[in-house]
Amino acid sequence: YNINYISEHGCITTDTLPVYVFENGLINIFVPKSFSPNGDGINDLIYVYLAGIKNFHFIKIYNKFGQLMFESKSDNIPWDGFANGHLQPIDAYVWFAEGEDINGKIFSKTGSVMLLR
C-alpha cells in the first residue's frame, strides 16, 4: 500500500506499507526465485519469508560445488550475494531452510535461487 500524509501546512509525506496475505493455516518458508545484487537498490537482497513458522532455525545457501555461501539463523538477515568478501557469480544457488511451525513440528524446505545482474 502507498500511504500519503498531508500535514496541516500542506506538506506531503509518502511511505509504503507491505502487506503479506496468506491463507489461514498456511505453513511454509518462501524464498524468491531470483535476486540481482547489482547495487541499484532493487532486489539487491534475498530474504526468507515465513508463514506459520513460530521459531525460525536457519537458512543455508550453497553454490553448485556444495560450498556454503551464506548462513543465517534469522529471517531478518538477508543474503547480499557476497561470500568470503567477494560478490558471487551469476548462477543458481541451492537453499535449505528449517523452522518450527505453529504446531511444534519441524518444517524444512529446499529450493533454488538465481543470482542475476
Side-chain angles (χ1 to χ4, degrees):
Y1 288 95
N2 289 323
I3 301 166
N4 292 317
Y5 173 76
I6 302 173
S7 75
E8 61 187 53
H9 302 290
C11 295
I12 300 172
T13 301
T14 302
D15 199 357
T16 58
L17 175 67
V19 175
Y20 304 100
V21 178
F22 300 110
E23 64 183 70
N24 195 17
L26 177 67
I27 296 171
N28 210 340
I29 298 174
F30 299 97
V31 175
K33 298 289 184 193
S34 64
F35 74 122
S36 58
N38 57 10
D40 67 356
I42 302 170
N43 299 318
D44 286 334
L45 304 171
I46 193 85
Y47 282 92
V48 176
Y49 298 98
L50 307 175
I53 303 294
K54 70 176 180 180
N55 292 316
F56 182 68
H57 294 167
F58 63 81
I59 182 167
K60 297 179 181 183
I61 300 176
Y62 298 89
N63 67 11
K64 64 185 173 186
F65 304 109
Q67 298 167 315
L68 183 64
M69 299 287 100
F70 175 77
E71 180 177 12
S72 177
K73 293 183 179 183
S74 170
D75 61 318
N76 293 318
I77 299 175
W79 185 37
D80 60 4
F82 280 80
N84 301 316
H86 300 285
L87 185 58
Q88 296 305 296
I90 294 172
D91 211 340
Y93 294 81
V94 175
W95 59 267
F96 178 70
E98 181 184 279
E100 180 182 345
D101 72 16
I102 56 175
N103 302 310
K105 294 181 182 177
I106 299 299
F107 181 86
S108 61
K109 191 169 179 185
T110 189
S112 64
V113 60
M114 190 73 189
L115 188 155
L116 307 170
R117 298 262 193 280

